Amino acid sequence: MIEMLKGGLILAGASFMFLAALGVLRLPDLLTRMHATTKAATLGATLIMLAVALHFAQVAVVARALGVILFIMMTAPVAAHVIGRAGYFVGAKLWSGTVKDELRPNYDPLTHELKSGLETEANARHQPRETDPS
């Protein structure tokens, strides 16, 4: 029974890793590719590490496998966010089907400064309103 579970975990993990690789090849822009690799590859690596922990069934190996899983779960989304944001800042083109670009109103491409939503609201409140000249 454990052998079937291990085989299923490895097969599912490899399938998710394959989907991540396929996403890198097939998806249209940097941000969607980052999404595919982060989600699918993280889940794939997690499933494979669970199979490793089941296979060896030793405290040291299980602890290391869980440590690897925890490390991947904590670092992969942060790394993808930073890479995606850097790509946006250097001018990576968004897919033509992108519906909403939430960074555009808050990002100054000349200074590479990003304003938070709170700063934007505060600036809008403190700027004088234009009056109608008529």
Side-chain angles (χ1 to χ4, degrees):
M1 182 68 183
I2 295 288
E3 295 296 322
M4 289 178 58
L5 181 61
K6 290 188 296 190
L9 286 171
I10 290 174
L11 187 61
S15 298
F16 278 108
M17 297 290 261
F18 176 74
L19 287 174
L22 195 61
V24 168
L25 294 175
R26 299 282 301 160
L27 291 174
D29 67 348
L30 174 71
L31 299 179
T32 55
R33 288 179 188 148
M34 293 303 302
H35 178 78
T37 56
T38 301
K39 305 298 182 201
T42 299
L43 184 57
T46 297
L47 293 173
I48 290 172
M49 291 309 297
L50 287 174
V52 167
L54 280 175
H55 177 73
F56 289 103
Q58 296 174 355
V59 174
V61 175
V62 171
R64 287 182 183 144
L66 293 178
V68 167
I69 290 170
L70 182 66
F71 181 77
I72 289 172
M73 293 272 189
M74 288 174 40
T75 58
V78 174
H81 175 80
V82 169
I83 292 169
R85 190 168 169 166
Y88 184 89
F89 289 166
V90 298
K93 298 290 181 201
L94 296 178
W95 176 45
S96 61
T98 300
V99 176
K100 189 173 187 180
D101 183 1
E102 293 183 2
L103 285 179
R104 180 173 289 159
N106 298 320
Y107 175 63
D108 183 6
L110 298 175
T111 62
H112 297 293
E113 291 181 359
L114 184 63
K115 299 174 194 161
S116 69
L118 297 175
E119 290 175 9
T120 306
E121 290 173 13
N123 289 341
R125 278 183 280 175
H126 293 297
Q127 293 196 1
R129 298 177 190 255
E130 293 183 24
T131 58
D132 190 11
S134 45

